[in-house]
Amino acid sequence: MDRKIRNFALTFPVVIAILVVAVVIYSVVKPSGSVAGQGRMAHEEVAANPDVAVEEMVCEFDQWIGKEVAAAEEELRKLGRVVRILGKDSPATMDYRHDRVNVIHDDNGQIISVTCG
């Protein structure tokens, strides 16, 4: 019987610690202020509401393809987005950020692709 009690005494704090860590991680990762069920918001609405959940951000920037990088970068920042400018052969980290817009340009500074993440 002492062996069962000792095993429980060793296992219980570990289980509690794992649960506490899971709750902390969930509370940090969970989007705050989500407007669930209301669909995606327009760029202007996202810029005007900085507390909006990141999954509500729109990723539709095809209108920038073929334009100059400098003009697009300024406009995207006005929309409240983090902008990452990359050359077509530039290395980039693979971390995903909901609020980031990746602007890929050619050697002449013309935008060839715009993605989010």
mmCIF file of all heavy atoms in Angstrom, residues 72-96:
data_model
loop_
_atom_site.group_PDB
_atom_site.id
_atom_site.type_symbol
_atom_site.label_atom_id
_atom_site.label_comp_id
_atom_site.label_asym_id
_atom_site.label_seq_id
_atom_site.Cartn_x
_atom_site.Cartn_y
_atom_site.Cartn_z
ATOM 1 N N ALA A 72 3.245 50.206 -51.754
ATOM 2 C CA ALA A 72 2.462 49.141 -51.126
ATOM 3 C C ALA A 72 2.799 49.017 -49.642
ATOM 4 O O ALA A 72 1.904 48.851 -48.811
ATOM 5 C CB ALA A 72 2.714 47.822 -51.835
ATOM 6 N N GLU A 73 4.076 49.101 -49.308
ATOM 7 C CA GLU A 73 4.495 48.966 -47.913
ATOM 8 C C GLU A 73 3.834 50.042 -47.052
ATOM 9 O O GLU A 73 3.291 49.758 -45.983
ATOM 10 C CB GLU A 73 6.015 49.066 -47.807
ATOM 11 C CG GLU A 73 6.524 48.949 -46.393
ATOM 12 C CD GLU A 73 8.027 49.032 -46.283
ATOM 13 O OE1 GLU A 73 8.693 49.402 -47.265
ATOM 14 O OE2 GLU A 73 8.532 48.726 -45.196
ATOM 15 N N GLU A 74 3.836 51.255 -47.510
ATOM 16 C CA GLU A 74 3.239 52.351 -46.750
ATOM 17 C C GLU A 74 1.741 52.124 -46.537
ATOM 18 O O GLU A 74 1.226 52.297 -45.430
ATOM 19 C CB GLU A 74 3.473 53.667 -47.494
ATOM 20 C CG GLU A 74 2.967 54.883 -46.754
ATOM 21 C CD GLU A 74 3.262 56.163 -47.516
ATOM 22 O OE1 GLU A 74 4.274 56.229 -48.230
ATOM 23 O OE2 GLU A 74 2.438 57.088 -47.386
ATOM 24 N N GLU A 75 1.054 51.733 -47.588
ATOM 25 C CA GLU A 75 -0.397 51.510 -47.489
ATOM 26 C C GLU A 75 -0.727 50.337 -46.558
ATOM 27 O O GLU A 75 -1.679 50.407 -45.785
ATOM 28 C CB GLU A 75 -1.000 51.265 -48.873
ATOM 29 C CG GLU A 75 -1.057 52.496 -49.731
ATOM 30 C CD GLU A 75 -1.938 53.589 -49.135
ATOM 31 O OE1 GLU A 75 -3.035 53.267 -48.640
ATOM 32 O OE2 GLU A 75 -1.516 54.753 -49.162
ATOM 33 N N LEU A 76 0.054 49.262 -46.638
ATOM 34 C CA LEU A 76 -0.196 48.097 -45.788
ATOM 35 C C LEU A 76 0.030 48.433 -44.324
ATOM 36 O O LEU A 76 -0.716 47.982 -43.447
ATOM 37 C CB LEU A 76 0.676 46.921 -46.222
ATOM 38 C CG LEU A 76 0.289 46.295 -47.556
ATOM 39 C CD1 LEU A 76 1.376 45.334 -48.030
ATOM 40 C CD2 LEU A 76 -1.038 45.587 -47.443
ATOM 41 N N ARG A 77 1.039 49.215 -44.021
ATOM 42 C CA ARG A 77 1.285 49.619 -42.632
ATOM 43 C C ARG A 77 0.141 50.483 -42.108
ATOM 44 O O ARG A 77 -0.215 50.406 -40.936
ATOM 45 C CB ARG A 77 2.619 50.330 -42.509
ATOM 46 C CG ARG A 77 3.799 49.394 -42.687
ATOM 47 C CD ARG A 77 5.123 50.047 -42.328
ATOM 48 N NE ARG A 77 6.247 49.298 -42.839
ATOM 49 C CZ ARG A 77 6.739 48.190 -42.296
ATOM 50 N NH1 ARG A 77 6.202 47.699 -41.218
ATOM 51 N NH2 ARG A 77 7.781 47.569 -42.836
ATOM 52 N N LYS A 78 -0.450 51.303 -42.960
ATOM 53 C CA LYS A 78 -1.606 52.117 -42.556
ATOM 54 C C LYS A 78 -2.786 51.231 -42.162
ATOM 55 O O LYS A 78 -3.625 51.628 -41.369
ATOM 56 C CB LYS A 78 -2.030 53.056 -43.693
ATOM 57 C CG LYS A 78 -1.119 54.226 -43.883
ATOM 58 C CD LYS A 78 -1.629 55.111 -45.017
ATOM 59 C CE LYS A 78 -0.672 56.224 -45.344
ATOM 60 N NZ LYS A 78 -1.147 57.024 -46.496
ATOM 61 N N LEU A 79 -2.857 50.039 -42.733
ATOM 62 C CA LEU A 79 -3.936 49.107 -42.415
ATOM 63 C C LEU A 79 -3.682 48.358 -41.108
ATOM 64 O O LEU A 79 -4.471 47.506 -40.717
ATOM 65 C CB LEU A 79 -4.112 48.096 -43.558
ATOM 66 C CG LEU A 79 -4.588 48.667 -44.887
ATOM 67 C CD1 LEU A 79 -4.571 47.584 -45.954
ATOM 68 C CD2 LEU A 79 -5.987 49.247 -44.731
ATOM 69 N N GLY A 80 -2.555 48.646 -40.463
ATOM 70 C CA GLY A 80 -2.254 48.006 -39.188
ATOM 71 C C GLY A 80 -1.617 46.641 -39.313
ATOM 72 O O GLY A 80 -1.669 45.839 -38.390
ATOM 73 N N ARG A 81 -1.018 46.360 -40.444
ATOM 74 C CA ARG A 81 -0.389 45.063 -40.665
ATOM 75 C C ARG A 81 1.122 45.167 -40.505
ATOM 76 O O ARG A 81 1.719 46.208 -40.768
ATOM 77 C CB ARG A 81 -0.700 44.547 -42.066
ATOM 78 C CG ARG A 81 -2.175 44.440 -42.408
ATOM 79 C CD ARG A 81 -2.944 43.504 -41.496
ATOM 80 N NE ARG A 81 -2.646 42.113 -41.695
ATOM 81 C CZ ARG A 81 -3.366 41.286 -42.429
ATOM 82 N NH1 ARG A 81 -4.449 41.707 -43.032
ATOM 83 N NH2 ARG A 81 -3.020 40.024 -42.559
ATOM 84 N N VAL A 82 1.731 44.083 -40.061
ATOM 85 C CA VAL A 82 3.180 43.967 -40.040
ATOM 86 C C VAL A 82 3.584 43.570 -41.450
ATOM 87 O O VAL A 82 3.019 42.639 -42.019
ATOM 88 C CB VAL A 82 3.644 42.896 -39.023
ATOM 89 C CG1 VAL A 82 5.135 42.687 -39.100
ATOM 90 C CG2 VAL A 82 3.197 43.266 -37.626
ATOM 91 N N VAL A 83 4.543 44.284 -42.028
ATOM 92 C CA VAL A 83 4.925 44.050 -43.414
ATOM 93 C C VAL A 83 6.350 43.506 -43.462
ATOM 94 O O VAL A 83 7.254 44.043 -42.829
ATOM 95 C CB VAL A 83 4.832 45.351 -44.244
ATOM 96 C CG1 VAL A 83 5.210 45.098 -45.685
ATOM 97 C CG2 VAL A 83 3.431 45.933 -44.160
ATOM 98 N N ARG A 84 6.528 42.424 -44.228
ATOM 99 C CA ARG A 84 7.870 41.861 -44.448
ATOM 100 C C ARG A 84 8.134 41.919 -45.944
ATOM 101 O O ARG A 84 7.421 41.317 -46.734
ATOM 102 C CB ARG A 84 7.942 40.422 -43.929
ATOM 103 C CG ARG A 84 9.290 39.781 -44.182
ATOM 104 C CD ARG A 84 9.498 38.502 -43.407
ATOM 105 N NE ARG A 84 8.541 37.467 -43.754
ATOM 106 C CZ ARG A 84 8.623 36.211 -43.304
ATOM 107 N NH1 ARG A 84 9.604 35.855 -42.485
ATOM 108 N NH2 ARG A 84 7.728 35.323 -43.651
ATOM 109 N N ILE A 85 9.169 42.673 -46.316
ATOM 110 C CA ILE A 85 9.551 42.837 -47.713
ATOM 111 C C ILE A 85 10.641 41.820 -48.032
ATOM 112 O O ILE A 85 11.657 41.759 -47.342
ATOM 113 C CB ILE A 85 10.072 44.264 -47.986
ATOM 114 C CG1 ILE A 85 9.071 45.321 -47.511
ATOM 115 C CG2 ILE A 85 10.428 44.434 -49.446
ATOM 116 C CD1 ILE A 85 7.764 45.314 -48.240
ATOM 117 N N LEU A 86 10.420 41.033 -49.073
ATOM 118 C CA LEU A 86 11.376 39.994 -49.456
ATOM 119 C C LEU A 86 11.640 40.054 -50.955
ATOM 120 O O LEU A 86 10.714 40.262 -51.735
ATOM 121 C CB LEU A 86 10.805 38.610 -49.127
ATOM 122 C CG LEU A 86 10.485 38.319 -47.668
ATOM 123 C CD1 LEU A 86 9.629 37.078 -47.568
ATOM 124 C CD2 LEU A 86 11.762 38.159 -46.880
ATOM 125 N N GLY A 87 12.906 39.843 -51.320
ATOM 126 C CA GLY A 87 13.227 39.657 -52.725
ATOM 127 C C GLY A 87 12.771 38.274 -53.143
ATOM 128 O O GLY A 87 12.516 37.409 -52.301
ATOM 129 N N LYS A 88 12.691 38.047 -54.445
ATOM 130 C CA LYS A 88 12.157 36.754 -54.909
ATOM 131 C C LYS A 88 13.002 35.569 -54.479
ATOM 132 O O LYS A 88 12.494 34.466 -54.350
ATOM 133 C CB LYS A 88 11.986 36.763 -56.429
ATOM 134 C CG LYS A 88 13.268 36.907 -57.200
ATOM 135 C CD LYS A 88 13.003 36.892 -58.680
ATOM 136 C CE LYS A 88 14.328 37.095 -59.421
ATOM 137 N NZ LYS A 88 14.139 37.047 -60.837
ATOM 138 N N ASP A 89 14.288 35.781 -54.221
ATOM 139 C CA ASP A 89 15.167 34.697 -53.777
ATOM 140 C C ASP A 89 15.635 34.867 -52.334
ATOM 141 O O ASP A 89 16.574 34.210 -51.903
ATOM 142 C CB ASP A 89 16.380 34.602 -54.714
ATOM 143 C CG ASP A 89 15.984 34.257 -56.134
ATOM 144 O OD1 ASP A 89 15.074 33.421 -56.305
ATOM 145 O OD2 ASP A 89 16.568 34.828 -57.079
ATOM 146 N N SER A 90 14.995 35.744 -51.586
ATOM 147 C CA SER A 90 15.395 36.013 -50.207
ATOM 148 C C SER A 90 15.001 34.874 -49.284
ATOM 149 O O SER A 90 13.892 34.347 -49.397
ATOM 150 C CB SER A 90 14.744 37.297 -49.693
ATOM 151 O OG SER A 90 15.172 38.404 -50.417
ATOM 152 N N PRO A 91 15.877 34.528 -48.347
ATOM 153 C CA PRO A 91 15.477 33.538 -47.341
ATOM 154 C C PRO A 91 14.533 34.201 -46.343
ATOM 155 O O PRO A 91 14.584 35.406 -46.118
ATOM 156 C CB PRO A 91 16.807 33.162 -46.668
ATOM 157 C CG PRO A 91 17.676 34.354 -46.864
ATOM 158 C CD PRO A 91 17.260 34.970 -48.177
ATOM 159 N N ALA A 92 13.645 33.409 -45.769
ATOM 160 C CA ALA A 92 12.701 33.932 -44.777
ATOM 161 C C ALA A 92 12.435 32.869 -43.729
ATOM 162 O O ALA A 92 12.463 31.676 -44.020
ATOM 163 C CB ALA A 92 11.396 34.330 -45.460
ATOM 164 N N THR A 93 12.168 33.313 -42.520
ATOM 165 C CA THR A 93 11.821 32.369 -41.467
ATOM 166 C C THR A 93 10.463 31.758 -41.788
ATOM 167 O O THR A 93 9.666 32.337 -42.505
ATOM 168 C CB THR A 93 11.743 33.076 -40.104
ATOM 169 O OG1 THR A 93 10.763 34.107 -40.173
ATOM 170 C CG2 THR A 93 13.089 33.656 -39.712
ATOM 171 N N MET A 94 10.202 30.590 -41.255
ATOM 172 C CA MET A 94 8.953 29.889 -41.548
ATOM 173 C C MET A 94 7.928 30.039 -40.429
ATOM 174 O O MET A 94 6.908 29.368 -40.436
ATOM 175 C CB MET A 94 9.248 28.395 -41.782
ATOM 176 C CG MET A 94 10.124 28.133 -42.995
ATOM 177 S SD MET A 94 9.454 28.791 -44.526
ATOM 178 C CE MET A 94 8.037 27.763 -44.729
ATOM 179 N N ASP A 95 8.197 30.941 -39.473
ATOM 180 C CA ASP A 95 7.205 31.154 -38.422
ATOM 181 C C ASP A 95 5.968 31.811 -39.012
ATOM 182 O O ASP A 95 6.040 32.547 -39.979
ATOM 183 C CB ASP A 95 7.779 32.022 -37.296
ATOM 184 C CG ASP A 95 8.196 33.408 -37.770
ATOM 185 O OD1 ASP A 95 8.817 33.503 -38.849
ATOM 186 O OD2 ASP A 95 7.905 34.386 -37.063
ATOM 187 N N TYR A 96 4.821 31.510 -38.435
ATOM 188 C CA TYR A 96 3.565 32.027 -38.959
ATOM 189 C C TYR A 96 3.044 33.113 -38.047
ATOM 190 O O TYR A 96 2.914 32.924 -36.846
ATOM 191 C CB TYR A 96 2.520 30.918 -39.070
ATOM 192 C CG TYR A 96 1.251 31.403 -39.727
ATOM 193 C CD1 TYR A 96 1.165 31.478 -41.106
ATOM 194 C CD2 TYR A 96 0.161 31.802 -38.963
ATOM 195 C CE1 TYR A 96 0.007 31.944 -41.721
ATOM 196 C CE2 TYR A 96 -0.990 32.266 -39.560
ATOM 197 C CZ TYR A 96 -1.065 32.335 -40.946
ATOM 198 O OH TYR A 96 -2.199 32.802 -41.557
#
